[in-house]
Every structure is written in structure tokens, then in C-alpha cells.
Amino acid sequence: MSETNEPTVGNYQRGLEVMARLWGQEVANDMLMFWRSVHPDIERYITAFALGEVWARPTLDLKTRSLICLASAVVLERADQIRLHTRGALQNGATPAEVAETIIQLMIYAGFPAAWQAMEIANQVIGDRREKTKS
Amino acid sequence: MSETNEPTVGNYQRGLEVMARLWGQEVANDMLMFWRSVHPDIERYITAFALGEVWARPTLDLKTRSLICLASAVVLERADQIRLHTRGALQNGATPAEVAETIIQLMIYAGFPAAWQAMEIANQVIGDRREKTKS
Amino acid sequence: MSETNEPTVGNYQRGLEVMARLWGQEVANDMLMFWRSVHPDIERYITAFALGEVWARPTLDLKTRSLICLASAVVLERADQIRLHTRGALQNGATPAEVAETIIQLMIYAGFPAAWQAMEIANQVIGDRREKTKS
Amino acid sequence: MSETNEPTVGNYQRGLEVMARLWGQEVANDMLMFWRSVHPDIERYITAFALGEVWARPTLDLKTRSLICLASAVVLERADQIRLHTRGALQNGATPAEVAETIIQLMIYAGFPAAWQAMEIANQVIGDRREKTKS
Amino acid sequence: MSETNEPTVGNYQRGLEVMARLWGQEVANDMLMFWRSVHPDIERYITAFALGEVWARPTLDLKTRSLICLASAVVLERADQIRLHTRGALQNGATPAEVAETIIQLMIYAGFPAAWQAMEIANQVIGDRREKTKS
Amino acid sequence: MSETNEPTVGNYQRGLEVMARLWGQEVANDMLMFWRSVHPDIERYITAFALGEVWARPTLDLKTRSLICLASAVVLERADQIRLHTRGALQNGATPAEVAETIIQLMIYAGFPAAWQAMEIANQVIGDRREKTKS
């Protein structure tokens, strides 16, 4: 077994860093606390594997990855995930218009109701962010 | 009723043009013939609305739209759609590595088996394209 | 390109009329305002294409179309859609018993929990309608 | 416990009769043999409960029930079920155009690709039936 | 038709007994009242068929059946079903750790968010049960 | 960061061992070669994380985990996964009757057609295994 086939020891630490860049430090902390309260091993798998391994990969930037994950959340109709990945997209340089286009593009694949409900949720995140930036 | 609320008369023609840019003229023709054989109204709705209205929108380019649609196809486990949107992504400048990253990103959302089966399908499209470019 | 392949200019207007017949003027107005608040283009696509093209087609009446859409909403477990298409079915002549039969028929395809939750939602719409008719 | 709450003894027999009316004797026999080969208890549950209880209910006729089940099969993308319920719809008086309308109606709820693939499958059943009627 | 192919007359009574063993008498009564309020025939089908036929089968005990149903509820993201089958699993001898393992096992098949949301719901049931046992 | 929060270096090796116990050495080798051909990182994530972390956990044995994964595969209608987890269940001590019960239990949650198709697939794996044991 070559060492390159082994998960490196620093995955968890890298996961924490990716999380902060992806959603901002405040939301990252909230998510981390939430996942820990749910189950410590689930938190560990999310941080070390999902964030530290998968989200940390090169080739696609965090904005594109967020739009891809938003797309998956729209078609699976997962409200919390639509919220989270909209936030991640905006945090990493997507405009509100690009978030809207991602959702409109999926009308023809996810069904119209899935798209309009996703847009309603995304609008709330976009609105909240605007409020915060103002104040 | 203001005119901006009406679908413009040129939607169908624009749909044909988007289709050709999106998948290349040859695949676009194949898809068009296939849809017509299935049902003329379905073909018309796809060309004039799905391609001519939705895919034709600005703000996101055809590469990003293809990756978004690929994402939706991966989580919904639609084999034919994985094939089509992989082709569209490559045709519009995505590298095979970017297609692979889109699928790997979704391992944690769609389930591991959905991702590895999607990658197997995408690999075939990538391989076919390489063959063609060589010859 | 023959003109018959083009979406006619009056689709949006026709969509407004279908909407009013389908759900009654009051609910139609509510939906229209809601969709506009979500995204003007989504509202336009729903009114001109979904209502003005698809729902406006002949061969099946609005009652049958509503039961078909109710069926799709039951198996996809979309609560808001169950509400809307129950309303559309009742508005277009379906009896409460026919709505119930549609849902009971799907127990064996959608799983029992999807059916009993759909029935609970449909019952609320049926009850609300009875209240209104009384007063 | 009143007796009306008990499944009546004749459910299995009634299921066999419903099956024959629903799909025609030949297809009904094929399905029965197939289900028996899969698992005798599954066959018994399908015949006595799914057919003998649910499909046997009054209020909606077999044509409408078939269109409802076709709708569920389209959105769940179950190819074999699309085939079976198209056959049931045609057998009980639906026209090919009514089957097509059911599928077109669902474009906006199931996603366009689910609809066009369903139509391709339904067309085969419609074509096969035409061949048979001719000979 | 041999009699062994017929649903026996005592299915409904057996369903009531299975329900009480499965979730405890109190929850069983609540569910029964709820299902009756939804639709008397749905209640009858659930009690006589789902509980009295399927859940009553031998070969797998109620704990294993509950974990299997919990698994299906996790991947289908049905919150009420996660609650009910967690309760059934605990009632029939599963430990909170076994419930947690069932959910963690499904992270790689259902997607990470489906698993962490299921765990949050299951934790509430586990917590409620602990409270009750204490008092 | 405590070391207990880090993925241990031996995950990949442990994954290989779990795989062999779970499906037998021959099938494990086939899967490994298949996953490598699909994408080396996907293979690494499956072996080190899915097998070496998740499947390797204590509290539930490989038979119960296989039945749980079979349940998820039945409701998601993933044919290849039904095959794989039926094999894993049988390999770890489940009887063919227990596999059948798992699937029959899900008729009421996944819909009848999902269950009968799953049983057809599971029967093939059970039959193949019988053939092999004989020779």
C-alpha cells in the first residue's frame, strides 16, 4: 500500500479551514456545533471526509462546487441544503443572479414546483445577506 | 399585457441554434429527430421552451449550465441525461477532470453508488470523444 | 419553420384564463402574486408555458388533469402540490370521494405513509371548501 | 370488531377477475405467472390486496385508475410500470391521445426527460396494440 | 383456489396486536385514531394488511423489521417515519447505539445531509424515551 | 485537535479486509478492480472511508448492515446495489428467507412494484449462489 492511498492525518484540520472559507467563520461554527450535537462521529466524517477530502479537492473552485451542490439540493428538494449552498455560492463570489439562473435552469429537469420553492428559499438567504451587509 | 411578458416568436429558431452550440450539430440533429419521433409537441416544447427559453438565458455560460444539469442527472440517476450533459460540458470547454470533479463532489450528497455509476457513464462519453478527435 | 411550430403570442393571456378556470379567480390571483414575488421569469414561464401551453391542451379536461397532477404530487410527497391539485380537482367537478380514491389507489405504488399523509392534507382542503360553501 | 372491518374471503378471486378486466386475460396470466415465480406471497398480496381490494374499489373506473397509476409511474421513472398502465388505460377505453396527454401534462412536474422517455415507452405499447388489432 | 391463498379472517385483530407489541399500546392507539381520522379504509388497510399481514410475518423479529423500515425512511427522508420506526426499534430491544449505527451506515448511500437530519430526529425520540423512563 | 478526531492511517488496509469479509475475496477483488477503472480517487474513498470507516464500525454485524443497505437499495430501486447487498447478507449468515422477508417488509413503504422487482433480482443472486455451492 503506497502512502498516497491513505487519508492524510491533516484531513480534519483541512476540513475546518475549508468550512470557514466556504460559508464564513460564523456559519461554519454553527454547523460544526450542530453536527457535534447530532453525533460526534457524523461531525468527524463531515469535517474530515466531506469537507477535508471532497470539498478540498482542486480543479473546481468553491463557487462552482456550491452551484453544483445547490443543483443537487434543488432536484432532491432539500430545503436546508438549498439554504446552505446558496450561502456558500454567495460567499464565494456568485451573484444573486447566478444563483437564480442555477435554479431556473433546473425548472425543466426538477419540475416547476421544485424550482419555484427553491427560489423562494434562496431569496430569503439572498435577502438576509443584503440586510447584514447594509448594517 | 406588455410584450415583455410574451414568449417571443423566434424561440423555436433560437432553440435550434442553442442546441447546435450546446451539443454540436450532429448530436443536436440526432436529438431533434429522436424527440420528433417521440411526439411532435414534446419536440416543440423542448426546442422552443427548454432550449430556446431556458438554456438560451444569459448570466451563466453553457459549460456551467451543463455541469449544473449533470449534477441534477447524477443525483436523479438518469443515465441518458448523464451522457448528454457530459457531452454538453465537454463541447463547451469543460475538461474531463472538471466533469469528474462534478461527479466526485456529489458522492456525499447522492450516495456513493450513484456517483460511481455516473462516473462509469461519463468515462464512456469522454473516451468516445477522444477516439473521435484522434481519427 | 412553419408558424405552427412557434409558441403563439397569446400564451400568457391564455395561461391567465386557464389559471382562473382551474383554481378559481381568488386562488389564481394568490398564486400569480406569489410566483411574481419569487421571480418574474418563473412567473412568466409558469403562466405562459405551464398554464398557457400545457394545461391549456385539449383531449383531457381540467378535472382529469388535476387528478393526474395530484397523483404525481402524492408519489413525490409534495405537500403544497397536493393542496393545489386537490383544489383544482374539486373546482372542476371532482367529488371529495374521487380525490380520496386517487390517493387510496396510490397506496400500493407510493408506499402507505405517502398516501396517508396525502389524505390528511387533501382532507384539509376538502374541509376548508365545505366551510366556505356553507358561509 | 365488526365484520365490515375484515378483508372478505373472496378478495383473491376478485383480484383475478379485476386483473383480467384491467389488462386482458393474456397479460393478466403472464403477470400472475411472473409474480408467482418471484415469490408466492408477493403474488398473493398483489392479487388479493392490490387488485382484489384497491383496484376493485368503486367511484373511479379502471381507465381513470390506469391514468393515475401511469402518472405515478412517469414521475417515478418506472419503465415496466409505464408499459403496464399504458396497456391498462388502452384496454379500458383510453385513446392513445389520452395516454399522450397524461404524459405531456407531467413534463412540468416530472422534468422533461422523464416525460419524453415515458412517451417513448408508451409509444411501443400503443404500436404493439395496433399491430395486434390489424392481424 | 386453495384457502391458503386467502387472507384469513383474523388479519385485522392480528394487526391490532402487532401494533401494540411494535410501538407500545399508547402510541398504537394514537396511530390508530390518527389513521381513522384520515380515512377509515386507509386505517383498515394499514391494520389488516400492513400490520396484520406484512409486519406479522415470521423469520425476522420486530427489532430487525424496525431497523429495515428505519433504513427505508432515512433514504426517503420521511421525518414522521424516522420517528415511528426509531420508536419501534427501541420498543423491541434495539439500543440507541444500534439506531445510530443504522443511520451512520446509510450516510454513504442516502447522502450525508439525509443521515444527519435523520439522526437529529432519532435523537429526539431517544431523548423523549429516556425522560419517560426516568419519571 | 485530539488524534481521535483524525482518520487513522490504516483505514485503507482495513477497508480491504472488510470488503473481503463482506462479499468474499473474489467479489471483493472484482469490485476493487471495477472501482479503480472508474476513478482511482473514487476507489480510494470507497475503500478507505465507506468500507474502512463506515462498514468497519462495531455495534451492528455485517449481516444486519447488509440487510439495512439492501433496504435502502430496494426503496431507491438500485438494481446493482440490490445484487451486492443480497450477496453480502448471504455471505454473512442471512438465509434466503431473511433476504426475502426484508424485501416483503418494504412492499408497504417502497410500493409493490419496487418490491417485486427487487425480489426478482435477489432471487438471481440466491440461485447463482446455490449453483456454486453445489458444484
Side-chain angles (χ1 to χ4, degrees):
Chain A
M1 265 306 334
S2 81
E3 276 180 28
T4 56
N5 272 342
E6 298 293 342
T8 59
V9 182
N11 280 358
Y12 186 88
Q13 191 53 43
R14 201 194 311 135
L16 291 176
E17 292 159 15
V18 171
M19 221 186 282
R21 267 193 299 139
L22 183 52
W23 299 314
Q25 193 65 58
E26 198 185 343
V27 173
N29 285 351
D30 288 354
M31 293 305 296
L32 199 69
M33 288 306 112
F34 166 67
W35 287 322
R36 275 189 196 154
S37 76
V38 168
H39 198 291
D41 287 357
I42 288 186
E43 183 274 314
R44 186 162 60 86
Y45 291 159
I46 293 169
T47 305
F49 181 74
L51 274 302
E53 273 278 4
V54 178
W55 277 93
R57 294 173 65 91
T59 305
L60 290 178
D61 57 25
L62 290 181
K63 173 187 155 183
T64 308
R65 286 185 190 272
S66 291
L67 293 180
I68 284 163
C69 293
L70 175 59
S72 85
V74 170
V75 295
L76 295 175
E77 305 184 60
R78 290 176 170 162
D80 285 348
Q81 285 285 300
I82 292 168
R83 223 166 268 125
L84 194 61
H85 297 304
T86 296
R87 197 173 285 130
L90 297 172
Q91 180 76 17
N92 289 280
T95 61
E98 285 173 320
V99 167
E101 281 309 311
T102 300
I103 294 170
I104 290 173
Q105 176 66 39
L106 294 169
M107 288 184 82
I108 49 182
Y109 299 103
F112 283 33
W116 82 59
Q117 281 170 11
M119 191 70 86
E120 194 190 11
I121 296 165
N123 282 341
Q124 293 162 1
V125 179
I126 291 167
D128 286 358
R129 208 179 153 85
R130 260 189 209 127
E131 280 308 300
K132 249 187 182 164
T133 319
K134 275 186 202 162
S135 59
Chain B
M1 269 290 344
S2 80
E3 276 180 30
T4 56
N5 271 343
E6 298 294 341
T8 58
V9 182
N11 280 358
Y12 187 88
Q13 191 54 42
R14 199 193 314 132
L16 292 176
E17 292 160 15
V18 171
M19 222 186 279
R21 268 195 298 139
L22 183 52
W23 299 314
Q25 193 65 59
E26 197 185 343
V27 173
N29 286 350
D30 289 354
M31 293 304 296
L32 199 70
M33 289 305 112
F34 166 67
W35 287 322
R36 276 190 194 154
S37 76
V38 167
H39 198 291
D41 287 356
I42 289 186
E43 184 273 315
R44 187 163 59 87
Y45 291 159
I46 294 170
T47 304
F49 181 74
L51 274 302
E53 273 279 4
V54 178
W55 276 93
R57 294 173 65 89
T59 306
L60 289 179
D61 57 22
L62 290 180
K63 173 187 156 184
T64 308
R65 286 185 191 271
S66 291
L67 293 181
I68 284 163
C69 293
L70 176 59
S72 84
V74 170
V75 295
L76 295 175
E77 304 185 60
R78 289 175 170 163
D80 285 349
Q81 284 284 301
I82 293 168
R83 224 166 267 124
L84 193 61
H85 297 302
T86 296
R87 197 173 286 131
L90 297 173
Q91 179 77 16
N92 288 280
T95 61
E98 286 173 319
V99 167
E101 281 309 311
T102 300
I103 295 170
I104 290 173
Q105 176 66 39
L106 294 168
M107 288 184 81
I108 51 183
Y109 298 103
F112 284 33
W116 82 60
Q117 281 170 10
M119 192 70 88
E120 194 191 10
I121 296 166
N123 283 340
Q124 293 162 2
V125 178
I126 292 167
D128 286 358
R129 207 178 153 86
R130 257 186 210 129
E131 281 307 301
K132 250 187 182 165
T133 320
K134 273 185 203 164
S135 59
Chain C
M1 264 301 336
S2 80
E3 275 180 30
T4 56
N5 270 343
E6 297 294 340
T8 58
V9 182
N11 279 358
Y12 186 86
Q13 192 53 42
R14 200 194 311 135
L16 291 177
E17 291 159 15
V18 171
M19 222 186 279
R21 267 195 299 140
L22 182 52
W23 299 314
Q25 192 66 59
E26 198 185 342
V27 174
N29 286 350
D30 288 355
M31 293 305 296
L32 199 71
M33 289 306 112
F34 167 66
W35 286 323
R36 275 191 196 153
S37 77
V38 168
H39 197 290
D41 288 356
I42 288 186
E43 185 272 314
R44 187 163 58 87
Y45 291 160
I46 293 169
T47 304
F49 181 74
L51 274 302
E53 272 279 4
V54 178
W55 276 94
R57 293 173 66 89
T59 305
L60 289 179
D61 57 24
L62 290 180
K63 173 187 155 182
T64 308
R65 285 185 191 272
S66 291
L67 293 180
I68 284 162
C69 293
L70 176 59
S72 86
V74 171
V75 296
L76 295 175
E77 305 185 58
R78 290 174 170 164
D80 285 349
Q81 284 284 301
I82 292 168
R83 224 166 268 126
L84 193 61
H85 296 304
T86 296
R87 197 173 287 131
L90 297 172
Q91 179 76 17
N92 289 279
T95 62
E98 286 174 320
V99 167
E101 281 309 309
T102 300
I103 295 171
I104 290 174
Q105 176 66 39
L106 294 169
M107 290 184 81
I108 50 183
Y109 298 103
F112 284 33
W116 83 58
Q117 280 171 11
M119 192 70 87
E120 194 190 10
I121 295 165
N123 283 341
Q124 293 162 3
V125 178
I126 291 167
D128 286 358
R129 209 179 152 82
R130 259 189 209 127
E131 281 307 301
K132 252 189 180 163
T133 319
K134 274 187 205 163
S135 59
Chain D
M1 266 299 335
S2 79
E3 275 179 29
T4 56
N5 271 343
E6 299 292 342
T8 58
V9 182
N11 279 358
Y12 187 88
Q13 191 55 40
R14 200 193 313 133
L16 292 177
E17 291 159 15
V18 171
M19 220 185 281
R21 267 195 298 140
L22 183 51
W23 298 315
Q25 192 65 59
E26 199 184 344
V27 173
N29 286 350
D30 288 354
M31 293 305 296
L32 199 71
M33 288 306 112
F34 167 66
W35 286 323
R36 275 191 195 153
S37 77
V38 167
H39 198 290
D41 287 357
I42 289 185
E43 184 273 314
R44 187 162 60 86
Y45 291 160
I46 294 169
T47 305
F49 181 74
L51 275 302
E53 273 278 5
V54 179
W55 277 93
R57 294 174 66 90
T59 305
L60 289 179
D61 56 24
L62 291 180
K63 173 187 155 183
T64 308
R65 286 185 191 273
S66 290
L67 293 181
I68 284 163
C69 293
L70 175 59
S72 85
V74 171
V75 295
L76 295 175
E77 304 185 60
R78 290 175 170 163
D80 286 348
Q81 285 284 301
I82 292 168
R83 224 166 266 125
L84 194 61
H85 297 303
T86 296
R87 197 173 286 130
L90 297 173
Q91 179 76 18
N92 289 279
T95 61
E98 286 174 320
V99 167
E101 282 308 310
T102 300
I103 295 170
I104 290 173
Q105 176 66 39
L106 294 169
M107 288 184 81
I108 51 182
Y109 298 103
F112 284 33
W116 83 58
Q117 281 169 12
M119 191 70 86
E120 194 190 10
I121 295 166
N123 283 340
Q124 292 162 3
V125 178
I126 292 167
D128 286 357
R129 207 178 153 85
R130 257 187 210 129
E131 281 307 299
K132 251 188 180 162
T133 319
K134 274 186 204 163
S135 60
Chain E
M1 266 299 337
S2 80
E3 276 180 29
T4 56
N5 270 343
E6 299 293 341
T8 58
V9 181
N11 279 358
Y12 187 88
Q13 192 52 43
R14 200 194 311 135
L16 291 176
E17 292 160 14
V18 171
M19 221 186 280
R21 267 195 297 139
L22 183 52
W23 299 314
Q25 192 66 59
E26 198 185 343
V27 174
N29 287 349
D30 288 354
M31 293 304 297
L32 199 69
M33 288 306 111
F34 167 66
W35 286 322
R36 276 190 195 156
S37 76
V38 167
H39 198 290
D41 287 356
I42 289 186
E43 184 273 314
R44 186 162 60 86
Y45 291 159
I46 293 169
T47 304
F49 181 74
L51 274 303
E53 273 278 4
V54 178
W55 276 93
R57 293 173 65 90
T59 305
L60 288 179
D61 57 24
L62 291 180
K63 173 186 156 183
T64 308
R65 286 185 191 272
S66 291
L67 294 180
I68 284 163
C69 293
L70 176 58
S72 85
V74 170
V75 295
L76 295 174
E77 304 185 60
R78 290 176 170 162
D80 286 348
Q81 284 284 300
I82 292 168
R83 225 165 266 125
L84 193 62
H85 297 303
T86 296
R87 197 172 287 130
L90 297 173
Q91 179 77 16
N92 289 279
T95 62
E98 286 174 320
V99 167
E101 281 308 311
T102 300
I103 294 170
I104 291 173
Q105 176 66 38
L106 294 169
M107 289 184 81
I108 50 183
Y109 299 103
F112 284 33
W116 83 58
Q117 281 171 8
M119 191 70 88
E120 195 191 9
I121 296 166
N123 283 340
Q124 293 163 1
V125 179
I126 292 167
D128 287 357
R129 207 179 152 85
R130 259 190 208 125
E131 280 308 300
K132 250 190 182 162
T133 321
K134 271 187 204 162
S135 60
Chain F
M1 266 302 330
S2 81
E3 276 181 29
T4 55
N5 271 344
E6 299 293 342
T8 58
V9 182
N11 279 359
Y12 187 87
Q13 191 52 42
R14 199 193 315 134
L16 292 176
E17 292 160 14
V18 171
M19 221 187 280
R21 266 195 299 140
L22 182 53
W23 298 314
Q25 193 65 59
E26 198 185 342
V27 173
N29 286 350
D30 288 354
M31 293 304 297
L32 200 69
M33 287 307 111
F34 167 66
W35 286 322
R36 276 190 194 154
S37 77
V38 167
H39 197 291
D41 288 356
I42 288 186
E43 184 274 314
R44 187 163 60 86
Y45 291 159
I46 293 169
T47 304
F49 181 74
L51 275 302
E53 272 280 4
V54 178
W55 276 93
R57 294 174 65 90
T59 305
L60 288 179
D61 56 24
L62 291 180
K63 173 187 156 184
T64 308
R65 286 185 190 273
S66 291
L67 293 180
I68 284 163
C69 293
L70 175 59
S72 85
V74 171
V75 295
L76 296 174
E77 305 185 58
R78 290 174 170 163
D80 285 348
Q81 284 284 302
I82 292 168
R83 224 166 266 124
L84 194 60
H85 297 303
T86 296
R87 197 174 285 130
L90 298 172
Q91 179 77 18
N92 289 280
T95 61
E98 285 174 320
V99 167
E101 282 308 312
T102 300
I103 294 170
I104 290 173
Q105 176 66 39
L106 294 169
M107 287 184 82
I108 50 182
Y109 298 104
F112 284 32
W116 83 58
Q117 281 171 10
M119 191 71 86
E120 194 190 10
I121 296 166
N123 283 340
Q124 292 162 1
V125 178
I126 292 168
D128 286 358
R129 207 178 153 85
R130 258 187 210 129
E131 281 307 300
K132 249 188 183 163
T133 320
K134 273 187 204 163
S135 60

